[in-house]
Amino acid sequence: MDQVTFDDCSVAFRVPSYQFLSAPGFAEARDGLIAGKLALYEGNHLFNRLILEEGRFLCYLAVLALHAAQDITQPATWLTLGRLQREVTDLGIASRNRVEAQVSYLRKYGFLSQQPHASDRRVRLLVPSSALLARDARVLGLLLNGISLFGLSPTEGCRGSPDAALHKGMRRATLSHLPDISRLIRRHLPLAPFFAHDCGYMIMLLLLRGAQENDGFVVTTGYQRLATQTGVSRTHVRRIVEAARDGGLVETDARGGHDIKLTPLMWHAADRWFADQFALTDLLLREALD
């Protein structure tokens, strides 16, 4: 069992991420994942703003994991606002007030509801909508499709969106790994300009796809087009790209963000990120099947 070491802990991947990175099918799996995620997220400005930033993303994952691990006969496992706040604040990535705000947004737009417990109506349980669960299953399906290309993972459920039982099992397994996932994100410091901002992850995917469509490095786009695709302001996009430039990930010469050039460091950092995502998915799948 491989140990991917951090400053203060390890993630016990069953298959080392470097095995995915060095496998012949890595580029195909990576490109499929980029295309699949953009097909899900591109144009859905609301969903992008709600989850595609580190703190919001981990809050979203915590909701799904706590829901999957909930035992209605065990009050300590119930998915309440207080339980969610404790889980997320323990990760050190969001305050109680920020978690409450995120829940309010999810409720406002129908991704989450708050319902009284059947036996104690004073208790308000948080319940993910069927639409949120279906979208999450599709995201996991993209990752399962990816790892199916390597021949390194179990074959059960490795094509398409997982069925309800496997989806629940993988998200139940996610609960104990939330601290690992938080540290995993922070491990990829070169990508911080994207991970730390609203829609930054989406902008990263768009830049990678844009480069793939050309010579692998030059993206013939501009700040305004990226802003339109992600639903944030042109200024917000410019700040993210400039932060990426300062980190050595991209080069910008033309005004308005035209002809952004991805550096080899950008591709190296992105490939390491996707390799870790495949390794994490393999781990969750194995634990769900155990």
Side-chain angles (χ1 to χ4, degrees):
M1 181 179 293
D2 179 55
Q3 298 288 324
V4 179
T5 304
F6 300 89
D7 291 340
D8 54 350
C9 87
S10 296
V11 177
F13 290 139
R14 302 284 185 90
V15 177
S17 56
Y18 71 81
Q19 287 194 21
F20 291 99
L21 184 60
S22 61
F26 177 78
E28 180 185 355
R30 176 202 64 201
D31 294 350
L33 184 57
I34 292 171
K37 285 200 170 187
L38 284 173
L40 276 178
Y41 295 138
E42 192 170 3
N44 193 328
H45 299 162
L46 170 62
F47 201 75
N48 295 342
R49 294 292 295 274
L50 287 175
I51 70 166
L52 290 184
E53 176 269 333
E54 180 186 358
R56 293 177 182 176
F57 176 67
L58 286 168
C59 184
Y60 152 85
L61 268 189
V63 166
L64 294 166
L66 288 166
H67 173 71
Q70 184 173 240
D71 181 347
I72 209 65
T73 67
Q74 300 294 324
T77 70
W78 291 349
L79 174 52
T80 62
L81 175 60
R83 174 87 192 282
L84 179 63
Q85 287 173 317
R86 288 193 298 274
E87 194 72 41
V88 176
T89 55
D90 283 350
L91 297 176
I93 47 87
S95 67
R96 291 177 62 87
N97 287 341
R98 191 179 182 201
V99 173
E100 186 171 4
Q102 175 73 343
V103 168
S104 296
Y105 281 127
L106 290 169
R107 291 181 60 198
K108 179 179 179 179
Y109 294 106
F111 293 121
L112 195 63
S113 62
Q114 200 168 32
Q115 301 174 7
H117 188 274
S119 62
D120 187 348
R121 299 186 67 83
R122 296 171 299 176
V123 176
R124 312 288 290 186
L125 300 179
L126 298 176
V127 182
S129 70
S130 58
L132 185 66
L133 293 173
R135 179 171 287 272
D136 183 59
R138 290 175 67 187
V139 172
L140 282 177
L142 294 173
L143 288 158
L144 289 171
N145 283 343
I147 65 173
S148 71
L149 298 174
F150 297 101
L152 300 170
S153 305
T155 57
E156 298 95 323
C158 265
R159 291 298 300 176
S161 298
D163 61 26
L166 182 58
H167 181 210
K168 184 175 182 179
M170 291 183 71
R171 282 302 174 225
R172 186 187 299 115
T174 300
L175 183 57
S176 64
H177 291 295
L178 286 174
D180 297 333
I181 295 170
S182 178
R183 285 184 287 265
L184 199 64
I185 293 172
R186 297 177 191 185
R187 176 191 186 201
H188 294 271
L189 291 177
L191 297 177
F194 300 109
F195 292 167
H197 298 90
D198 286 352
C199 290
Y201 189 64
M202 179 73 171
I203 290 170
M204 182 186 81
L205 295 177
L206 288 167
L207 291 175
L208 293 171
R209 183 182 69 182
Q212 290 170 341
E213 293 171 348
N214 293 294
D215 60 356
F217 291 99
V218 176
V219 183
T220 56
T221 187
Y223 296 145
Q224 187 56 57
R225 184 182 177 191
L226 288 170
T228 300
Q229 290 172 298
T230 55
V232 295
S233 71
R234 182 179 181 278
T235 299
H236 185 76
V237 172
R238 176 175 56 79
R239 287 172 178 166
I240 291 175
V241 174
E242 287 178 350
R245 180 198 62 199
D246 294 343
L249 300 175
V250 302
E251 297 174 359
T252 56
D253 296 321
R255 292 175 58 85
H258 296 283
D259 295 335
I260 298 170
K261 183 178 181 181
L262 276 58
T263 66
L265 175 61
M266 173 72 165
W267 277 111
H268 176 72
D271 283 351
R272 288 183 64 248
W273 165 254
F274 290 123
D276 274 355
Q277 292 303 292
F278 290 134
L280 176 64
T281 302
D282 171 81
L283 174 63
L284 297 178
L285 176 62
R286 290 173 185 273
E287 292 190 357
L289 294 174
D290 283 348

Short mmCIF file of all heavy atoms in Angstrom, two decimals, residues 45-53 55-57 59-60 63 81 84 97-114 126-127 129 132 198:
data_model
loop_
_atom_site.label_atom_id
_atom_site.label_comp_id
_atom_site.label_asym_id
_atom_site.label_seq_id
_atom_site.Cartn_x
_atom_site.Cartn_y
_atom_site.Cartn_z
N HIS A 45 -23.71 28.23 -14.41
CA HIS A 45 -23.05 29.22 -13.57
C HIS A 45 -23.41 29.07 -12.10
O HIS A 45 -22.58 29.26 -11.22
CB HIS A 45 -23.39 30.62 -14.06
CG HIS A 45 -22.93 30.88 -15.46
ND1 HIS A 45 -23.43 31.91 -16.23
CD2 HIS A 45 -22.03 30.23 -16.24
CE1 HIS A 45 -22.84 31.88 -17.42
NE2 HIS A 45 -21.99 30.88 -17.45
N LEU A 46 -24.67 28.72 -11.83
CA LEU A 46 -25.11 28.59 -10.45
C LEU A 46 -24.34 27.49 -9.74
O LEU A 46 -23.78 27.70 -8.66
CB LEU A 46 -26.60 28.28 -10.40
CG LEU A 46 -27.17 27.87 -9.04
CD1 LEU A 46 -27.00 29.00 -8.03
CD2 LEU A 46 -28.65 27.49 -9.17
N PHE A 47 -24.28 26.32 -10.35
CA PHE A 47 -23.60 25.19 -9.70
C PHE A 47 -22.11 25.47 -9.55
O PHE A 47 -21.51 25.14 -8.53
CB PHE A 47 -23.83 23.92 -10.51
CG PHE A 47 -23.62 22.65 -9.71
CD1 PHE A 47 -24.56 22.25 -8.79
CD2 PHE A 47 -22.48 21.90 -9.86
CE1 PHE A 47 -24.38 21.10 -8.04
CE2 PHE A 47 -22.29 20.75 -9.12
CZ PHE A 47 -23.25 20.34 -8.21
N ASN A 48 -21.53 26.12 -10.56
CA ASN A 48 -20.11 26.45 -10.48
C ASN A 48 -19.81 27.34 -9.28
O ASN A 48 -18.84 27.13 -8.54
CB ASN A 48 -19.66 27.17 -11.75
CG ASN A 48 -19.73 26.29 -12.98
OD1 ASN A 48 -19.81 25.08 -12.86
ND2 ASN A 48 -19.73 26.90 -14.14
N ARG A 49 -20.64 28.34 -9.07
CA ARG A 49 -20.39 29.28 -7.98
C ARG A 49 -20.60 28.64 -6.61
O ARG A 49 -20.01 29.04 -5.62
CB ARG A 49 -21.31 30.51 -8.11
CG ARG A 49 -21.02 31.37 -9.33
CD ARG A 49 -19.69 32.06 -9.23
NE ARG A 49 -19.63 33.04 -8.16
CZ ARG A 49 -20.03 34.29 -8.27
NH1 ARG A 49 -20.52 34.74 -9.42
NH2 ARG A 49 -19.95 35.13 -7.25
N LEU A 50 -21.46 27.62 -6.57
CA LEU A 50 -21.78 27.01 -5.28
C LEU A 50 -20.69 26.05 -4.79
O LEU A 50 -20.48 25.92 -3.59
CB LEU A 50 -23.11 26.26 -5.37
CG LEU A 50 -24.37 27.13 -5.43
CD1 LEU A 50 -25.60 26.27 -5.64
CD2 LEU A 50 -24.51 27.95 -4.15
N ILE A 51 -20.01 25.35 -5.71
CA ILE A 51 -19.11 24.30 -5.21
C ILE A 51 -17.67 24.40 -5.69
O ILE A 51 -16.80 23.79 -5.10
CB ILE A 51 -19.65 22.90 -5.55
CG1 ILE A 51 -19.56 22.63 -7.05
CG2 ILE A 51 -21.06 22.70 -5.06
CD1 ILE A 51 -19.75 21.17 -7.42
N LEU A 52 -17.39 25.14 -6.78
CA LEU A 52 -16.05 25.05 -7.34
C LEU A 52 -15.09 26.06 -6.71
O LEU A 52 -14.60 26.98 -7.34
CB LEU A 52 -16.09 25.20 -8.86
CG LEU A 52 -16.73 24.00 -9.56
CD1 LEU A 52 -16.67 24.16 -11.06
CD2 LEU A 52 -16.06 22.70 -9.15
N GLU A 53 -14.83 25.87 -5.46
CA GLU A 53 -13.82 26.59 -4.67
C GLU A 53 -13.59 25.72 -3.45
O GLU A 53 -14.50 25.02 -3.01
CB GLU A 53 -14.36 27.99 -4.31
CG GLU A 53 -13.46 28.81 -3.41
CD GLU A 53 -13.79 28.60 -1.94
OE1 GLU A 53 -14.94 28.26 -1.62
OE2 GLU A 53 -12.88 28.76 -1.12
N GLY A 55 -13.26 25.67 -0.08
CA GLY A 55 -14.14 25.60 1.08
C GLY A 55 -15.53 25.11 0.74
O GLY A 55 -16.11 24.26 1.42
N ARG A 56 -16.09 25.66 -0.33
CA ARG A 56 -17.44 25.26 -0.75
C ARG A 56 -17.45 23.82 -1.22
O ARG A 56 -18.40 23.07 -0.96
CB ARG A 56 -17.93 26.19 -1.85
CG ARG A 56 -18.16 27.61 -1.38
CD ARG A 56 -18.57 28.50 -2.53
NE ARG A 56 -18.73 29.87 -2.09
CZ ARG A 56 -19.02 30.89 -2.90
NH1 ARG A 56 -19.16 30.66 -4.19
NH2 ARG A 56 -19.15 32.11 -2.43
N PHE A 57 -16.42 23.42 -1.95
CA PHE A 57 -16.35 22.06 -2.46
C PHE A 57 -16.31 21.05 -1.32
O PHE A 57 -17.01 20.02 -1.34
CB PHE A 57 -15.13 21.90 -3.35
CG PHE A 57 -14.92 20.49 -3.84
CD1 PHE A 57 -15.80 19.91 -4.72
CD2 PHE A 57 -13.83 19.75 -3.40
CE1 PHE A 57 -15.63 18.59 -5.17
CE2 PHE A 57 -13.64 18.45 -3.85
CZ PHE A 57 -14.54 17.87 -4.73
N CYS A 59 -17.39 21.49 1.72
CA CYS A 59 -18.70 21.51 2.40
C CYS A 59 -19.69 20.65 1.63
O CYS A 59 -20.46 19.87 2.22
CB CYS A 59 -19.20 22.96 2.52
SG CYS A 59 -20.74 23.12 3.45
N TYR A 60 -19.68 20.78 0.32
CA TYR A 60 -20.54 19.97 -0.55
C TYR A 60 -20.23 18.48 -0.37
O TYR A 60 -21.13 17.64 -0.25
CB TYR A 60 -20.33 20.45 -1.98
CG TYR A 60 -20.55 19.45 -3.09
CD1 TYR A 60 -21.82 19.22 -3.61
CD2 TYR A 60 -19.47 18.77 -3.67
CE1 TYR A 60 -22.01 18.34 -4.66
CE2 TYR A 60 -19.65 17.89 -4.72
CZ TYR A 60 -20.93 17.67 -5.21
OH TYR A 60 -21.10 16.80 -6.24
N VAL A 63 -21.55 17.19 2.97
CA VAL A 63 -23.00 16.94 2.93
C VAL A 63 -23.27 15.56 2.36
O VAL A 63 -24.04 14.75 2.92
CB VAL A 63 -23.71 18.02 2.10
CG1 VAL A 63 -25.15 17.59 1.77
CG2 VAL A 63 -23.74 19.35 2.85
N LEU A 81 -27.50 20.65 10.57
CA LEU A 81 -26.61 21.78 10.33
C LEU A 81 -25.46 21.77 11.33
O LEU A 81 -24.30 22.01 10.96
CB LEU A 81 -27.39 23.09 10.42
CG LEU A 81 -26.57 24.37 10.30
CD1 LEU A 81 -25.82 24.43 8.98
CD2 LEU A 81 -27.46 25.60 10.49
N LEU A 84 -22.87 19.14 10.40
CA LEU A 84 -22.12 19.57 9.23
C LEU A 84 -21.12 20.66 9.60
O LEU A 84 -19.96 20.63 9.16
CB LEU A 84 -23.08 20.09 8.16
CG LEU A 84 -22.44 20.61 6.86
CD1 LEU A 84 -21.69 19.50 6.13
CD2 LEU A 84 -23.50 21.23 5.95
N ASN A 97 -20.22 30.10 10.36
CA ASN A 97 -21.09 31.02 9.62
C ASN A 97 -21.01 30.77 8.12
O ASN A 97 -22.01 30.86 7.41
CB ASN A 97 -20.70 32.47 9.92
CG ASN A 97 -21.12 32.90 11.31
OD1 ASN A 97 -21.98 32.27 11.94
ND2 ASN A 97 -20.52 33.96 11.81
N ARG A 98 -19.80 30.46 7.64
CA ARG A 98 -19.66 30.20 6.20
C ARG A 98 -20.37 28.91 5.81
O ARG A 98 -20.97 28.82 4.74
CB ARG A 98 -18.18 30.11 5.83
CG ARG A 98 -17.96 30.12 4.33
CD ARG A 98 -16.50 30.07 3.98
NE ARG A 98 -16.33 30.12 2.53
CZ ARG A 98 -15.25 29.71 1.91
NH1 ARG A 98 -14.23 29.24 2.60
NH2 ARG A 98 -15.15 29.79 0.61
N VAL A 99 -20.31 27.89 6.66
CA VAL A 99 -21.03 26.65 6.39
C VAL A 99 -22.53 26.92 6.35
O VAL A 99 -23.24 26.43 5.45
CB VAL A 99 -20.70 25.58 7.45
CG1 VAL A 99 -21.58 24.35 7.26
CG2 VAL A 99 -19.23 25.20 7.38
N GLU A 100 -23.02 27.71 7.30
CA GLU A 100 -24.45 28.03 7.32
C GLU A 100 -24.86 28.79 6.06
O GLU A 100 -25.93 28.54 5.50
CB GLU A 100 -24.79 28.86 8.56
CG GLU A 100 -26.27 29.10 8.73
CD GLU A 100 -26.62 29.74 10.06
OE1 GLU A 100 -25.70 30.07 10.83
OE2 GLU A 100 -27.84 29.90 10.34
N ALA A 101 -23.99 29.69 5.60
CA ALA A 101 -24.28 30.42 4.37
C ALA A 101 -24.33 29.49 3.17
O ALA A 101 -25.19 29.61 2.29
CB ALA A 101 -23.24 31.51 4.16
N GLN A 102 -23.41 28.53 3.13
CA GLN A 102 -23.39 27.57 2.03
C GLN A 102 -24.66 26.73 2.04
O GLN A 102 -25.26 26.47 0.97
CB GLN A 102 -22.16 26.67 2.13
CG GLN A 102 -22.09 25.54 1.12
CD GLN A 102 -21.75 26.01 -0.29
OE1 GLN A 102 -21.86 27.20 -0.58
NE2 GLN A 102 -21.35 25.09 -1.14
N VAL A 103 -25.10 26.30 3.22
CA VAL A 103 -26.34 25.53 3.32
C VAL A 103 -27.52 26.37 2.84
O VAL A 103 -28.42 25.88 2.14
CB VAL A 103 -26.55 25.05 4.77
CG1 VAL A 103 -27.98 24.52 4.97
CG2 VAL A 103 -25.54 23.96 5.11
N SER A 104 -27.53 27.65 3.19
CA SER A 104 -28.61 28.54 2.76
C SER A 104 -28.67 28.63 1.24
O SER A 104 -29.75 28.61 0.65
CB SER A 104 -28.42 29.94 3.36
OG SER A 104 -28.54 29.89 4.77
N TYR A 105 -27.49 28.74 0.60
CA TYR A 105 -27.45 28.79 -0.87
C TYR A 105 -27.98 27.49 -1.46
O TYR A 105 -28.76 27.50 -2.41
CB TYR A 105 -26.02 29.04 -1.35
CG TYR A 105 -25.56 30.46 -1.25
CD1 TYR A 105 -24.38 30.78 -0.58
CD2 TYR A 105 -26.28 31.51 -1.83
CE1 TYR A 105 -23.94 32.09 -0.49
CE2 TYR A 105 -25.84 32.82 -1.74
CZ TYR A 105 -24.67 33.10 -1.07
OH TYR A 105 -24.24 34.39 -0.97
N LEU A 106 -27.50 26.37 -0.92
CA LEU A 106 -27.94 25.07 -1.44
C LEU A 106 -29.44 24.89 -1.27
O LEU A 106 -30.11 24.34 -2.16
CB LEU A 106 -27.18 23.95 -0.75
CG LEU A 106 -25.69 23.82 -1.08
CD1 LEU A 106 -24.99 22.85 -0.13
CD2 LEU A 106 -25.49 23.37 -2.52
N ARG A 107 -29.98 25.36 -0.16
CA ARG A 107 -31.43 25.28 0.06
C ARG A 107 -32.18 26.22 -0.87
O ARG A 107 -33.22 25.86 -1.45
CB ARG A 107 -31.77 25.60 1.51
CG ARG A 107 -31.31 24.56 2.53
CD ARG A 107 -31.71 24.97 3.94
NE ARG A 107 -33.18 25.10 4.04
CZ ARG A 107 -33.79 25.77 5.03
NH1 ARG A 107 -33.07 26.38 5.96
NH2 ARG A 107 -35.10 25.82 5.06
N LYS A 108 -31.67 27.42 -1.04
CA LYS A 108 -32.34 28.43 -1.87
C LYS A 108 -32.53 27.94 -3.30
O LYS A 108 -33.57 28.19 -3.92
CB LYS A 108 -31.51 29.72 -1.87
CG LYS A 108 -32.11 30.83 -2.73
CD LYS A 108 -31.26 32.09 -2.66
CE LYS A 108 -31.83 33.19 -3.54
NZ LYS A 108 -31.01 34.43 -3.46
N TYR A 109 -31.55 27.22 -3.82
CA TYR A 109 -31.61 26.80 -5.21
C TYR A 109 -32.01 25.33 -5.38
O TYR A 109 -31.84 24.76 -6.46
CB TYR A 109 -30.27 27.08 -5.89
CG TYR A 109 -30.01 28.57 -5.99
CD1 TYR A 109 -29.06 29.17 -5.17
CD2 TYR A 109 -30.73 29.36 -6.87
CE1 TYR A 109 -28.83 30.54 -5.23
CE2 TYR A 109 -30.51 30.73 -6.94
CZ TYR A 109 -29.56 31.31 -6.13
OH TYR A 109 -29.34 32.67 -6.19
N GLY A 110 -32.56 24.73 -4.33
CA GLY A 110 -33.16 23.41 -4.44
C GLY A 110 -32.22 22.24 -4.42
O GLY A 110 -32.63 21.11 -4.70
N PHE A 111 -30.95 22.46 -4.05
CA PHE A 111 -30.00 21.35 -3.98
C PHE A 111 -30.08 20.62 -2.63
O PHE A 111 -29.61 19.50 -2.49
CB PHE A 111 -28.57 21.84 -4.18
CG PHE A 111 -28.29 22.37 -5.55
CD1 PHE A 111 -27.86 23.67 -5.74
CD2 PHE A 111 -28.47 21.57 -6.68
CE1 PHE A 111 -27.60 24.17 -7.01
CE2 PHE A 111 -28.22 22.05 -7.95
CZ PHE A 111 -27.78 23.36 -8.11
N LEU A 112 -30.68 21.28 -1.64
CA LEU A 112 -30.71 20.75 -0.28
C LEU A 112 -32.01 21.22 0.37
O LEU A 112 -32.46 22.34 0.13
CB LEU A 112 -29.51 21.30 0.50
CG LEU A 112 -29.10 20.66 1.83
CD1 LEU A 112 -28.67 19.20 1.61
CD2 LEU A 112 -27.95 21.44 2.45
N SER A 113 -32.61 20.36 1.17
CA SER A 113 -33.80 20.74 1.92
C SER A 113 -33.57 20.44 3.39
O SER A 113 -32.65 19.70 3.76
CB SER A 113 -35.04 19.98 1.42
OG SER A 113 -34.89 18.58 1.61
N GLN A 114 -34.39 21.02 4.23
CA GLN A 114 -34.31 20.79 5.67
C GLN A 114 -35.66 20.26 6.12
O GLN A 114 -36.68 20.93 6.00
CB GLN A 114 -33.96 22.09 6.41
CG GLN A 114 -33.39 21.88 7.80
CD GLN A 114 -32.78 23.16 8.35
OE1 GLN A 114 -33.23 24.26 8.05
NE2 GLN A 114 -31.75 23.03 9.17
N LEU A 126 -30.86 17.69 7.20
CA LEU A 126 -30.54 18.19 5.87
C LEU A 126 -30.61 17.02 4.88
O LEU A 126 -30.06 15.95 5.14
CB LEU A 126 -29.14 18.79 5.85
CG LEU A 126 -28.92 20.01 6.78
CD1 LEU A 126 -27.46 20.45 6.74
CD2 LEU A 126 -29.83 21.16 6.38
N VAL A 127 -31.29 17.25 3.77
CA VAL A 127 -31.51 16.17 2.79
C VAL A 127 -31.10 16.66 1.40
O VAL A 127 -31.69 17.60 0.86
CB VAL A 127 -33.00 15.75 2.75
CG1 VAL A 127 -33.19 14.59 1.78
CG2 VAL A 127 -33.48 15.36 4.15
N SER A 129 -30.98 16.92 -2.56
CA SER A 129 -32.01 16.67 -3.57
C SER A 129 -31.58 15.55 -4.50
O SER A 129 -30.39 15.21 -4.61
CB SER A 129 -32.28 17.94 -4.37
OG SER A 129 -31.16 18.23 -5.20
N LEU A 132 -29.03 16.84 -6.97
CA LEU A 132 -27.66 16.95 -6.47
C LEU A 132 -27.00 15.57 -6.43
O LEU A 132 -25.84 15.41 -6.82
CB LEU A 132 -27.65 17.57 -5.07
CG LEU A 132 -26.28 17.85 -4.47
CD1 LEU A 132 -25.55 18.92 -5.27
CD2 LEU A 132 -26.39 18.28 -3.01
N ASP A 198 -13.42 31.39 -6.53
CA ASP A 198 -14.65 30.96 -7.17
C ASP A 198 -14.40 30.70 -8.65
O ASP A 198 -13.81 31.53 -9.35
CB ASP A 198 -15.73 32.05 -7.06
CG ASP A 198 -16.32 32.14 -5.66
OD1 ASP A 198 -16.01 31.26 -4.83
OD2 ASP A 198 -17.08 33.08 -5.40
#
